[in-house]
Amino acid sequence: MKRITKIISAILAVLVVTAVFAGCSSSNDNSTANGFRTLDEIKSSGTINIGVFSDKNPFGYVDENGEYQGYDVYFANRLGKDLGVKVNFVSTEAANRIEYLQTGKVDLILANFTVTDERKEEVDFALPYMSVSLGVVSPKSKTVTSLDNWNESDSMIVISGTTAETYLTKNYPNIKLQKYDAYAQAKTALENGSGVAWANDNTEVIAYANQNSDFVVGIPELGSADTIAPAVTKGNDTLLNWINDEIKALGKENFFHKDYEATLLDTYGKDYENQLVIEGGELASSTNDTAK
């Protein structure tokens, strides 16, 4: 009888330990078995986790009060409002945007994410809300106006995981790249003369030059024009479809022009507004083929 009792006790102990571990696993996992949370699961939780930059003014940054601000943040707050949930901002860097989606750390990326064919293999892009191309900023005292006949002893500053890194690696393999994870590090390197120039989205380098009079954008457009779009985990169709419908609906009220005027106007002025803003995802059919 004692032996039977011991066996039963051992079985119960195993079941309790298993249940405890299962509970811990589920409580710490932000995603489902599919690796993402569906639209209904996000609504039920009351919170959507959105990855944004924290150091890329004026697109995503933290102000002096510790609050997230910028063009992407303005959009994110509207998504949360219309979805009826609270927005939990997750600070991300360019190199870990895809990783954060694939590991379920965020439901959505709104971090100035340029659409490329390579990235489309790893994440699903929604309709675009901004147009962009690459640009190069350098000191006025030694302005870089062309990448031809590059001095191979010089370094070009780039952010790891950006389209600038990919483009230069493919098209200018002779240019030595000085890579950084954070935008603040890249700006410091440029100011310290660690690299002769900085290649990045032209929106970023134009903004930097406007705020730093010793620097100039010698190459305002490098390569072809691209688009910026929200990204979700591959296969998360319920969230993707909702975002696409939302972008179309927001276009009817000219939302992205309002976003520009609230967050980007002081940096770029009216001249760049129609060039940068994509309203209602209308260019998707001809440039990105992202509609689902």
Side-chain angles (χ1 to χ4, degrees), residues 32-55:
T32 65
N34 293 322
F36 56 77
R37 299 193 302 165
T38 64
L39 182 66
D40 286 342
E41 288 168 336
I42 291 169
K43 286 182 177 179
S44 296
S45 75
T47 301
I48 183 169
N49 301 311
I50 301 181
V52 296
F53 286 127
S54 60
D55 64 348

Side-chain angles (χ1 to χ4, degrees), residues 78 243-255 280:
R78 179 59 185 268
I243 293 172
N244 280 338
D245 289 341
E246 176 77 351
I247 289 174
K248 292 175 184 177
L250 291 176
K252 296 177 181 178
E253 61 180 71
N254 235 27
F255 170 83

Side-chain angles (χ1 to χ4, degrees), residues 2 40 83 86 95 97 113 121 131 158 162 264 292:
K2 290 182 178 180
D40 286 342
L83 195 55
K86 177 184 176 182
R97 289 173 293 194
F113 210 6
E121 294 178 1
S131 179
V158 296
T162 60
L264 303 184
K292 286 198 175 187

Side-chain angles (χ1 to χ4, degrees), residues 20-32 37 49 103-105:
V20 169
F21 275 103
C24 291
S25 174
S26 61
S27 63
N28 292 328
D29 189 1
N30 183 47
S31 59
T32 65
R37 299 193 302 165
N49 301 311
T103 58
K105 190 167 185 176

Side-chain angles (χ1 to χ4, degrees), residues 75 79 108 126 230 232 239-248:
F75 180 27
L79 292 179
L108 172 67
V232 302
L239 179 57
L240 180 69
N241 292 337
W242 183 86
I243 293 172
N244 280 338
D245 289 341
E246 176 77 351
I247 289 174
K248 292 175 184 177

